[in-house]
Amino acid sequence: MDPTLKTRTISRLKDEMGSFSPRMRVVAKYIVDNPADFGLDTIRETARKTGVSTYTLVRMSQQMGFDGFDGLRDPFRHALVSSTEYVDLPDWLNELPESGETGRIQAQAALNSLAVVQRSLEKLSPETLDRVAEAMFSARKVYVTGTRASYAMAYYFHYVGRMALTSMDLIPRHVGSAVDELNTAGEDDVLFAITTTPYSRETIDSCRFACSRGVTLILLADSEVVVPDLQPDITLSVSAISTHHFACYSGVSAVLEALLSILLHRGGTATTARIESYESLRNAHSAYWKPKKN
């Protein structure tokens, strides 16, 4: 089988998604976001996960030029089998379930976090990091946004990233609107947005508004296709699968750490001096707790 067929199929799905019917669009997005599961599951299981009928899956396959569902799934199954390698789990993780129900749940969450970090970092290439860093250092202003749970990630990224880029600005602030903050943004600026399923309407609106102003959009999300009509200039795709109801942010955090390492390195001596200046200021104002001297 052609080893590039899976990649070409995913590219077609992303390019043609906007022209699909609503149900077929759901299937296309599921395949793009979950290629491994799609390669493993039966047609009935895929129908259950996507909430469509098996007929829709067959019709989708035929529209993509395959004889049936198996033809569409085979490239994904072949890629999964050919790229799978066994990794030994650490002893502490194997032993956790033996301690009882809490240990079992902890082990599941830990294994999931390790897998999420690995999948997220596997998707991240040096070329993509270079493009992101170049865009940020070339920008007049770098806006950083994320709402709901993603706000914590945006706040941390801004807190550290501004040491390398004084042009970095966290939006919204003071319970305002990110769109308001973007009112004066233009082609010389960058918007770095973070979102995971279910996608925040405010974040999507901010991204759309930024694109309408010619702002370079860098999107960190758990899908390469967040909404069909949104076309980021650069996408950082992460895994956010969790063992509970909400997204797992281990992968988001790992990718942000990689990006921050690049930004701080590129900042050079100016960044080092800025960090030292902030540390001196914080020490002078007793920002950090220290034990009393006898």
Side-chain angles (χ1 to χ4, degrees), residues 23 121 199 220 235:
R23 287 184 177 276
L121 294 178
Y199 306 118
L220 191 158
T235 300

Side-chain angles (χ1 to χ4, degrees), residues 101-146:
E101 182 69 4
T102 299
R104 182 186 65 79
I105 295 172
Q106 181 186 354
Q108 289 177 343
L111 182 59
N112 180 75
S113 290
L114 292 172
V116 161
V117 169
Q118 179 171 313
R119 290 192 199 106
S120 300
L121 294 178
E122 281 178 343
K123 297 178 181 180
L124 188 64
S125 69
E127 292 77 17
T128 300
L129 284 174
D130 275 337
R131 289 180 61 203
V132 173
E134 181 62 30
M136 287 186 171
F137 274 101
S138 301
R140 178 185 69 90
K141 182 172 285 190
V142 177
Y143 297 94
V144 179
T145 193

